[in-house]
Amino acid sequence: MTTTTQLPVTVYSEMTPNPETMKFVTDRMLLPNESIEINSLQQADNSPLAQALFGFPFVKGLFIMNNFITVLKERSADWYEIVPPLREFIKLYLDEDKPVFNPGFRVTVAGNAPHASDDDIVLQVKEALDKYVKPAVEMDGGAIHFKSYHDGIVTVTLKGACSGCPSSNLTLKSGIENLLKRMIPEIKEVIAQSA
């Protein structure tokens, strides 16, 4: 009889440009190729892990994607004090092979996936966001999703560490907007809306 032992989970923390969020990266996939933002315990009903993390009094919001969790903290909490217990909790939770999401749970937001009704400009915008912007935003603990295009204005939704980040408007205007304007001459402006 052979028994296999699963290696212990590795979890480390990374600062994000948003001083109120911290990214916790693990060597396990939590939500492959999808993302979910959970802003209250009431929204966490499909995620036992999120429910458990909201048990910490300083957790204000969560963003789960691929192999990381971005935690939004209460302003009064100090990362120096709360990172070690959060990191240890996530590690032990995953080491015990507890469920991140309930069986059968599916994310309903399609992100930047192309649709049959997309015109050429929308397809170009979605492709540019996925190819050039998405990797950088994910590295910072967030996500960007195409919302709409109308009369030269692209509307996107920022999630995770990017939502509410003091530097997100600068990044949106000087980075994303300039990139899209250079690649797609029809683009006049890029704006962000809340999810």
Side-chain angles (χ1 to χ4, degrees), residues 41-111:
L41 179 59
Q42 293 74 25
Q43 293 178 354
D45 56 345
N46 285 311
S47 174
L49 174 58
Q51 290 173 356
L53 286 168
F54 274 107
F56 288 92
F58 47 78
V59 173
K60 189 174 171 182
L62 301 166
F63 176 74
I64 303 172
M65 181 174 196
N66 293 333
N67 67 329
F68 68 87
I69 302 167
T70 301
V71 175
L72 172 66
K73 70 171 181 68
E74 294 289 344
R75 286 188 186 264
S76 59
D78 185 344
W79 284 123
Y80 180 76
E81 295 174 359
I82 65 175
V83 164
L86 276 173
R87 186 176 51 234
E88 185 64 17
F89 177 83
I90 294 168
K91 178 186 175 2
L92 290 174
Y93 187 97
L94 296 174
D95 271 339
E96 293 174 10
D97 207 24
K98 293 181 180 177
V100 176
F101 293 97
N102 293 332
F105 170 73
R106 297 285 177 257
V107 176
T108 55
V109 177

Side-chain angles (χ1 to χ4, degrees), residues 35-46:
S35 67
I36 187 166
E37 193 164 42
I38 305 170
N39 294 310
S40 68
L41 179 59
Q42 293 74 25
Q43 293 178 354
D45 56 345
N46 285 311

Side-chain angles (χ1 to χ4, degrees), residues 121 149-155 181 185-190:
I121 293 174
Y149 170 77
H150 184 69
D151 290 336
I153 299 174
V154 174
T155 305
K181 283 180 174 180
E186 293 84 356
I187 303 300
K188 298 175 190 168
E189 185 179 14
V190 177

Side-chain angles (χ1 to χ4, degrees), residues 31 33-37 105-113 115 144-147 157 159 195:
L31 188 59
N33 303 314
E34 300 289 346
S35 67
I36 187 166
E37 193 164 42
F105 170 73
R106 297 285 177 257
V107 176
T108 55
V109 177
N112 299 325
H115 297 285
I144 185 168
H145 295 288
F146 173 84
K147 188 162 183 157
T157 303
K159 294 183 175 186

